[in-house]
Amino acid sequence: MSGYEAIPGLNLECGEPVFNEPWEANAFALVVGLHEKGLFQWNEWADILSETIKQNDVSIPYYQSWLEALETIVSRKALINSSEVSIRRGEWVAALEATPHGSPIELKNRFSLDLETNS
Amino acid sequence: MGQNHDHDHSEWSDMELKVKTLESLLLEKGYVDQAALDVIVETYEHKVGPRNGAQVVAKAWADPNYLQRLRDDASSAIAELGFTGRQGEHMRVVENTPDTHNMVVCTLCSCYPWSVLGLPPVWYKSAPYRSRAVSEPRKVLSEFDVSLPEDTNIQVWDSTAEMRYLVIPLRPEGTDGWSEEKLADLVTRDSMIGTGLALSPDEVSA
């Protein structure tokens, strides 16, 4: 079993932020929110999260595994299917490309690029 | 504005893109709502934290009847103070004694008593802690600057989705007659995970 070498990851500093980046908080809240809506039992979640962490390399950050486990559970519970995911991902990519740096990123922004290029 | 859209448009990391993809679909389908998500983040960023657990421990030190209720049914006794779990987990308290030191880990993932300690620290979720807390707890404790007498028994508790543990550290000497509020200041997060001890009165006044 790897991870026996002392210290790496054993970060003893106090007062570290709860979430390092906003997406971690978003991913966290989605899991808790779906659970609170009764869409899965907490132990079902813990099983999938444990499995994901076990399969991933120890260098993979915790919330990355958390997010992968979220993708697994929404698909397993048939809340979202894979084609919906790939279409929506493409829409966000288009929205990002159409949104000037610093402006709020919204899905509808993806249509503004068309306006600009047509003019 | 530059001529080239490639240079000044917005960018997200792959993680951000993945989260936003799921979040927008789940919101649209009504599986979650934005207000509820905001409350969850707000709660865990600002409202729930180890001060909750410190109140539980301080009350247990000060009030033998409360300690007994914690032993009998920790989930209910903790709920008396307004701290309730959201994942339907059962709480159990494990009491340190001069002979036995308790330490909590989740070997599989990161099960943790959120309602009393907030979200787990980074090291609690790390692979080295998850494996070494079980295989060499004394060495791990020494890395946290905790040294216990050789003959102290170390008991390691492995959390699960259903069962979470809160360590009641030993009450420091020289605190007779202290109020619960004052006692709570001695209770650190790590002392309730078992990777630390409660502070001595000198340490807080220093």
Side-chain angles (χ1 to χ4, degrees), chain B:
Chain B
M1 295 287 286
Q3 298 275 334
N4 190 338
H5 289 290
D6 290 333
H7 290 296
D8 59 10
H9 68 66
S10 304
E11 282 186 57
W12 276 341
S13 67
D14 189 49
M15 294 298 125
E16 288 173 298
L17 194 50
K18 282 180 171 174
V19 169
K20 280 294 172 187
T21 296
L22 294 181
E23 185 184 65
S24 58
L25 287 166
L26 292 167
L27 285 167
E28 257 170 41
K29 289 167 174 255
Y31 289 126
V32 287
D33 60 81
Q34 190 62 57
L37 295 179
D38 292 345
V39 167
I40 292 164
V41 172
E42 165 73 13
T43 301
Y44 285 101
E45 280 198 316
H46 302 295
K47 295 190 180 149
V48 181
R51 291 298 87 205
N52 291 5
Q55 284 181 51
V56 172
V57 170
K59 196 170 179 63
W61 282 345
D63 178 351
N65 292 325
Y66 185 71
L67 177 59
Q68 193 54 51
R69 293 205 292 286
L70 274 176
R71 287 171 177 153
D72 294 342
D73 179 353
S75 304
S76 312
I78 289 167
E80 286 176 32
L81 302 186
F83 313 137
T84 49
R86 295 157 83 110
Q87 285 78 47
E89 71 276 20
H90 292 287
M91 288 290 308
R92 179 171 167 191
V93 293
V94 287
E95 297 167 60
N96 286 351
T97 66
D99 302 324
T100 303
H101 179 87
N102 295 286
M103 189 171 158
V104 181
V105 65
C106 175
T107 53
L108 289 177
C109 53
S110 54
C111 295
Y112 189 73
W114 293 358
S115 59
V116 279
L117 297 186
L119 292 177
V122 173
W123 54 259
Y124 185 85
K125 300 176 289 194
S126 72
Y129 180 75
R130 288 188 285 110
S131 57
R132 295 181 53 231
V134 176
S135 61
E136 45 179 9
R138 199 171 285 273
K139 188 140 183 283
V140 171
L141 284 175
S142 73
E143 289 163 23
F144 280 87
D145 287 328
V146 175
S147 58
L148 299 167
E150 270 305 307
D151 57 352
T152 302
N153 173 36
I154 300 176
Q155 175 88 49
V156 179
W157 300 87
D158 192 0
S159 313
T160 65
E162 289 88 13
M163 184 63 81
R164 319 281 173 96
Y165 301 92
L166 179 72
V167 175
I168 309 263
L170 278 176
R171 179 173 176 161
E173 287 178 10
T175 58
D176 289 352
W178 281 32
S179 68
E180 285 176 28
E181 200 184 354
K182 209 170 158 199
L183 286 169
D185 289 338
L186 303 175
V187 186
T188 63
R189 177 193 67 198
D190 290 1
S191 72
M192 295 180 280
I193 305 174
T195 52
L197 306 175
L199 302 174
S200 68
D202 296 346
E203 285 173 292
V204 279
S205 59

